[in-house]
Structure formats: structure tokens, C-alpha cells
Amino acid sequence: MSDETILGLPARPTALAALAVLVVAPFVLPTFQTYVLSEVLVLALFATGFNLLYGYTGLLSFGHAMFFGGAGYALGIFLRDVAPSLPFGGATPLVAFAIAAVLGVLVATAIAIPVGYLSVRLEEIYFAMLTLSFSMALYTLVNQNYFGVTNGSDGILVLLQTSNLFGFQLSLYDRVTYYFVILLVVAPAMYILWRVSNSPFGLVSEAIRENSERASGLGIDVRRHQWGAFVLSAVFTGIAGVLVAPLHSSLSPGASLHWTISAEPVIMTVFGGPYSFIGPTVGALFYRYIRWGITQFPLLEAHWQLVFGTLILVIVVFAPRGVSGLLKWAVDRVRGNGGESA
Amino acid sequence: MTTVLKTEDLRREFGALCAVDDVSVEIDSEEVTSIIGPNGAGKTTFYNLLSGRLDPTAGEVFLRGRSGELENVTGLPPHDIAQRGLSRAYQINNNFEGLSVLDNVRVARVSTTDRSKELLSRYHTDDELREAAEDVLDLTGLRDVAETEAANLSHGDKRKVEIALSLATDPAVVLLDEPTAGMNPSESEEMVELIKELDETTDTTFVLTEHDIDMVLEISDRILVLHRGELIANGTPDEVMANEDVTTAYLGERQ
């Protein structure tokens, strides 16, 4: 990661080209594919936020569902219980969504501050187990309806209404409209993550991943730095969480807070490659489209975990730097950079 | 004479074993000081006490670091002591293997400042940071391998990265732990020259432990001898070589 590149290509033009494709895509794609692409964007942010902690800082969290689902639940409950009584006239649904989204991210942050403080005291598998425990605790509290507002294992509906802005009707729940809401949030969020990963903070994070003892010997307060990375990672995961809840129109403990949700960014990141910024995004893209591809074949669909597991196995064994490592290798070959092995 | 590092009755016990036994020394900024002693003499424990990796059972450590005042640093965590100006290079290669040599040094440059908390500035395009890092690479003879991943360096160059990392924090004192460990004679000679040169060209005070007695005699202004945790000699190379306790410790009792 010594230069600012994406898959071996200059970063800025590559990112702008990708953005242009993303802006045009919903006008070309059928509605369902726009929906799938919306999910890809959210998952990419989820995995990239997660990877700030895993690939960059070297801490494998197995509890990111608590930020993803926690933020989603805060948004959903606000929209259900508070939004209808807000006094913004025709603009109420839009304003309510914005407030709920900010609230959701704040809730994820509020969870991350104490949980991170405690978790970074441990390393490796112990850190993973501790984050898993906190996340399952939240799952259980929500599942048992402990707070009285989460509706237990049935979950809650997250429905966006139509706003009336001076006679102009804006329906956020429209697939294409909501796609652009997601793009409008995910693109700057990814840009900020990119800047963080290329900042002195990001460089020091990598040093901690490589050798935390040496980093502390050079004057880095390692736990404090890890804590900071943990909270930042949770903030971006929370942003992904508030975007996904209205996309799926529902929240439930099983689909939002269960440990299998924490496993998703792990799988996407390992698949795409944790040691580059773009790896988790590539992972999210492949993860979602391979999953879609499998649904096209009923026989494969019946055993989709088996198909998926085999693919991951092949990547992990033959391309330790993930699909993004393979792609970068291919780009380097084509551009004649020689290129190291993937 | 300016004392940069001082211990007072520094003691560390591991159960019944006393690894460092009431050691009181003063390290002068004008001198290169070597700490020698047979295996198990307590050199590494002594370093760990100075750098904060271990807490002493008793006694105190003082450092005249960036502040210019002699401060009591006993019991502070390693990163805090490093912030105050004490840096350490390890006996084993202990760098950031997955990062380039340049990035290794960049990390060290930002680590003792608040820059390590900067989230949105770009380190790639920071010319000041690059120049400062390249100065350190020039000093340590690593300029040619700046873009190489540290994991792929030769053993001799990895040893130099150890020293470059310590120097890049702009420390008052560097503790070198067996800088020529595992080196062939020509690499060792190069390392000795490098340390001498760094001692002359920088304000940093060097303290080293070493097994190679010839090197110690060549490079040191003062030698401290530890034996079973006790400081048994403290003097110039000539004084120490003439000291009977020292020959006894190394060669055993004369029959």
C-alpha cells in the first residue's frame, strides 16, 4: 500500500470512472438489479468499515452485527414511534429519515465506545470472542424484547413514506430513488474511509497490525489507537446499518443482529482481500453477485452454502490476497508492471 | 558531563531469582556506554526496566529526554517513556515486516508526535514527512532499499532498520541490544562504523549491550559489567579489562 492506487490503477480516475458507472447503472438495469446493486453498495461500506479494524489494525471483530443491527433498530424504532408526530408538514417523512439515520449512527457509536474500550484489552481470538459475546448479548436483549420496543423475535417493519416537498412527491421507498440515497451516502463515506486509510492514523494502524509491541516501543499508545480504530469502524458500520434497514423494509434479531451477520463482512473481506483498501468492496461485489448467480440454479440454490464455501476455500488457498489481489496481479500484467505474485 | 539516564538501586526479582540487583548507574551524554556480562547477567532485564517493559521491584529510573529535565520515569508504560525520548533497538529483528522500509521509518517519525492521530491528511504526499524519513534512511545507509518490503531485506539491512526506527523518533537515548548479533565480520564492521558515525553526527546518546568484546572495546567510552544481576565494574575499557572481578566473572576463579 505504498502508493495511492486501486487494483494497481491510479486512484482518482479509477474511482471517478466507478462513480460514473454507478450513477448511470439504475437507468440501464432492471429494478431488481438496481436493488441488488443497492445491497452491494451497503455491503461494501459494511465490509470496508469492518476492514479498517481487521485488515488495517489487525483486530478481527466477530461482533460487528451489534453496530449494523443496533443502528438499524434505532432508526426503525424512531421511524415507527416518533416520526409520525414530527411537525414538518409534507417534508416530515424525509426529515424523519434523516434524523433517524443520524440517531442510528449515534447509537452504534455509543455502543462502540465502551465495548471497544473493553475489547481492545485482549488480542486475537480473545478479542474476537469478546466482541462476539457483546454482540450476542445485544441480540438476546432485542430478541427477548427486553427494552419493550423491539417486538422480540418478530422484529419490526421499516417503512418509508412519501414526502410532499412543495407539491413535488418524493418516495424514498422507490427502488431507484433509494438507490441514489444510498449512493449519496456511501460514496462520501467511502472517500472518508479512503482518506483515513491513507492518513498517518491509517499508517500507524498498519504498524500496530504488523507489530504492536514495536509500535508501543516507538511511542504509540497502542490500546488507545486500537480503541479509536474500533469506534471509527463502528461508525461506518452504523452508517451501513441505517441504510440497509429501509432497503429490506424490516428488522429482526435473526437478520440484523445474529452472529451470522457479523460473519458477513469477515467472509467478504477474506474473499476480496483484507490488505488493500478496495479488497472488501471487491469481496462485497462478488459475494452478492455470486449469491445471486447461485439462485438462478435451483440445484445449487438448495445447497448454496456448500457452493459458496467451496469458492471461499479455493480463494483462501490459492489467492491469499483475495480476489482483489488476483485482479491487481492481472492489471499489473496487462500494464506491463511486471507485478508480484497474487 | 550531562546525565541522560540514571538508575537508583534498581532491582527486579522473579520469584527467588534477583535478575537485577540494586544497580545504580549514571549514563553520560558525552559517552558511548556498553553493558556487558555473561549470559544471564541481567542485561535484557535491565533494558526492560529502563524502557518500561517491566516494572522494577524496587528502585527508580530517571531520564533526561525531550523536556531537558531529569524526570522520574519509573513505572511509566513503554509508549510514554518512548514519547519522552528513550528508544530501543532490539536484538531480534523487530520491525514492521509487511511495510516498506520507507513506511517503517514514516511510522517512527509520526509515532512520537500527535500526527499519529491525524485522520484525514495524506502521508503519501507529505513532502516534509518523506524528507525527514529519507534523512534517516541516508544516515543509516538504507536509501537504496526504501521501497523494499522490510520482510524481504537481507539480515544486515534488517539490523539497520532496527536502528533507523529508533533514530527516527529523534530520541535522547537509544538502547541498542546486540546490534551485531548474527552478522558476518564485514557486516559487523559496517555496523560499528555506522554507530560511531551516528554518535558523532547526532545528539543521541548510545547505550549498547554486546557479546563481541573486541567491538565493545573499540566503540565504548565506558563499560558497565553486570554479573548475576549485580554491577561489578564501571569504568573505561582499560580499567574494566584490568578488573579482577571481571576476569573472574567471565573465566571463573583462578585455581
Side-chain angles (χ1 to χ4, degrees):
Chain A
M1 294 176 231
S2 59
D3 286 308
E4 293 188 354
T5 58
I6 295 173
L7 299 173
L9 300 164
R12 186 185 290 258
T14 310
L16 290 176
L19 189 61
V21 170
L22 288 172
V23 168
V24 174
F27 299 110
V28 183
L29 295 174
T31 310
F32 177 71
Q33 287 301 331
T34 300
Y35 169 77
V36 173
L37 195 56
S38 302
E39 275 198 325
V40 169
L41 290 176
V42 171
L43 290 174
L45 180 61
F46 187 12
T48 309
F50 160 85
N51 199 43
L52 186 65
L53 194 58
Y54 174 54
Y56 276 84
T57 317
L59 290 171
L60 173 56
S61 161
F62 227 85
H64 261 45
M66 77 183 119
F67 313 123
F68 193 66
Y73 261 96
L75 169 123
I77 292 163
F78 182 89
L79 286 180
R80 185 192 63 192
D81 295 349
V82 185
S85 52
L86 288 177
F88 298 105
T92 297
L94 187 62
V95 176
F97 173 70
I99 297 174
V102 171
L103 178 74
V105 177
L106 288 177
V107 165
T109 314
I111 298 171
I113 289 171
V115 167
Y117 179 81
L118 295 169
S119 301
V120 299
R121 255 125 250 280
L122 301 177
E123 285 182 335
E124 296 173 5
I125 190 69
Y126 307 101
F127 173 85
M129 289 300 113
L130 200 53
T131 51
L132 174 64
S133 312
F134 281 118
S135 154
M136 287 312 281
L138 184 62
Y139 167 84
T140 307
L141 291 174
V142 169
N143 200 38
Q144 305 292 331
N145 202 15
Y146 183 83
F147 304 106
V149 289
T150 58
N151 201 26
S153 58
D154 289 344
I156 58 179
L157 291 176
V158 183
L159 300 175
L160 299 174
Q161 314 290 329
T162 301
S163 302
N164 185 342
L165 305 170
F166 313 108
F168 177 74
Q169 304 283 320
L170 181 71
S171 301
L172 286 180
Y173 56 80
D174 172 74
R175 287 288 182 229
V176 175
T177 307
Y178 197 65
Y179 171 88
F180 280 106
V181 170
I182 289 175
L183 187 60
L184 218 58
V185 176
V186 169
M190 290 293 276
Y191 178 70
I192 293 171
L193 277 167
W194 163 257
R195 288 296 294 260
V196 169
S197 67
N198 284 291
S199 71
F201 181 91
L203 180 64
V204 168
S205 299
E206 287 189 79
I208 290 174
R209 173 194 77 208
E210 291 294 318
N211 191 341
S212 63
E213 210 173 84
R214 185 58 155 142
S216 116
L218 291 175
I220 310 272
D221 190 339
V222 169
R223 276 186 188 164
R224 218 185 152 78
H225 198 96
Q226 288 173 326
W227 187 25
F230 189 99
V231 174
L232 264 179
S233 172
V235 168
F236 287 94
T237 302
I239 296 173
V242 295
L243 290 174
V244 84
L247 186 66
H248 291 162
S249 310
S250 71
L251 287 158
S252 69
S256 311
L257 286 165
H258 196 247
W259 67 265
T260 47
I261 304 303
S262 296
E264 282 195 347
V266 181
I267 294 168
M268 290 185 281
T269 301
V270 169
F271 198 77
Y275 300 130
S276 70
F277 177 79
I278 203 67
T281 301
V282 173
L285 199 76
F286 275 73
Y287 178 84
R288 190 60 189 86
Y289 281 110
I290 289 172
R291 185 74 192 82
W292 172 78
I294 291 172
T295 60
Q296 305 304 300
F297 302 94
L299 183 65
L300 296 184
E301 176 63 10
H303 308 284
W304 74 270
Q305 287 103 331
L306 181 68
V307 180
F308 214 87
T310 311
L311 269 169
I312 291 169
L313 194 72
V314 169
I315 288 292
V316 169
V317 171
F318 295 104
R321 286 177 181 271
V323 177
S324 71
L326 283 178
L327 289 173
K328 181 175 183 304
W329 175 78
V331 167
D332 286 348
R333 283 287 295 256
V334 170
R335 286 165 61 95
N337 298 351
E340 298 162 56
S341 76
Chain B
M1 147 160 187
T2 315
T3 303
V4 286
L5 192 60
K6 182 171 127 179
T7 67
E8 270 178 12
D9 298 324
L10 196 62
R11 185 180 185 84
R12 173 70 200 206
E13 296 165 5
F14 295 103
L17 174 79
C18 189
V20 171
D21 191 352
D22 295 340
V23 172
S24 299
V25 296
E26 289 193 23
I27 298 204
D28 181 355
S29 67
E30 304 293 316
E31 296 178 332
V32 173
T33 305
S34 292
I35 302 171
I36 64 168
N39 282 330
K43 302 185 294 284
T44 302
T45 306
F46 188 59
Y47 265 15
N48 284 337
L49 293 171
L50 296 179
S51 61
R53 283 276 295 282
L54 286 174
D55 283 333
T57 310
E60 287 174 325
V61 182
F62 299 86
L63 172 71
R64 189 188 309 278
R66 276 180 242 289
S67 69
E69 303 292 321
L70 200 62
E71 301 167 302
N72 190 335
V73 296
T74 320
L76 294 180
H79 68 86
D80 198 341
I81 294 179
Q83 288 277 354
R84 286 162 199 261
L86 181 133
S87 190
R88 182 170 173 187
Y90 293 81
Q91 182 181 341
I92 48 162
N93 291 319
N94 195 1
N95 52 41
F96 307 113
E97 292 229 313
L99 306 185
S100 71
V101 172
L102 179 61
D103 281 350
N104 265 269
V105 176
R106 277 170 166 156
V107 169
R109 282 300 304 177
V110 299
S111 66
T112 46
T113 65
D114 273 344
R115 294 215 55 195
S116 66
K117 300 183 188 76
E118 278 179 18
L119 284 170
L120 297 175
S121 66
R122 304 165 114 109
Y123 75 84
H124 288 298
T125 50
D126 184 334
D127 291 335
E128 212 180 304
L129 178 60
R130 172 181 280 270
E131 279 161 26
E134 283 175 348
D135 283 347
V136 175
L137 295 180
D138 284 335
L139 270 176
T140 47
L142 287 166
R143 187 66 179 265
D144 294 341
V145 291
E147 299 297 334
T148 309
E149 210 171 275
N152 299 331
L153 293 174
S154 71
H155 180 70
D157 280 347
K158 281 184 183 172
R159 302 299 302 150
K160 287 184 191 167
V161 172
E162 270 308 306
I163 293 181
L165 284 178
S166 315
L167 277 182
T169 62
D170 197 16
V173 186
V174 171
L175 306 179
L176 299 172
D177 201 351
E178 299 202 17
T180 65
M183 284 187 163
N184 64 37
S186 76
E187 285 175 329
S188 286
E189 191 51 44
E190 212 181 308
M191 182 58 80
V192 171
E193 291 308 317
L194 175 62
I195 294 169
K196 280 184 179 170
E197 194 188 320
L198 292 174
D199 184 48
E200 279 163 25
T201 53
T202 65
D203 292 334
T204 302
T205 305
F206 288 89
V207 179
L208 50 142
T209 68
E210 186 55 64
H211 269 132
D212 181 343
I213 289 294
D214 290 337
M215 176 192 168
V216 169
L217 295 176
E218 186 184 343
I219 210 169
S220 316
D221 301 306
R222 174 167 297 275
I223 298 178
L224 309 175
V225 187
L226 284 177
H227 180 50
R228 293 183 183 147
E230 281 183 68
L231 183 70
I232 59 167
N234 174 356
T236 64
D238 291 340
E239 289 167 6
V240 165
M241 289 312 283
N243 186 315
E244 276 192 28
D245 290 342
V246 175
T247 27
T248 309
Y250 266 93
L251 303 173
E253 205 78 48
R254 198 166 293 165
Q255 297 300 313

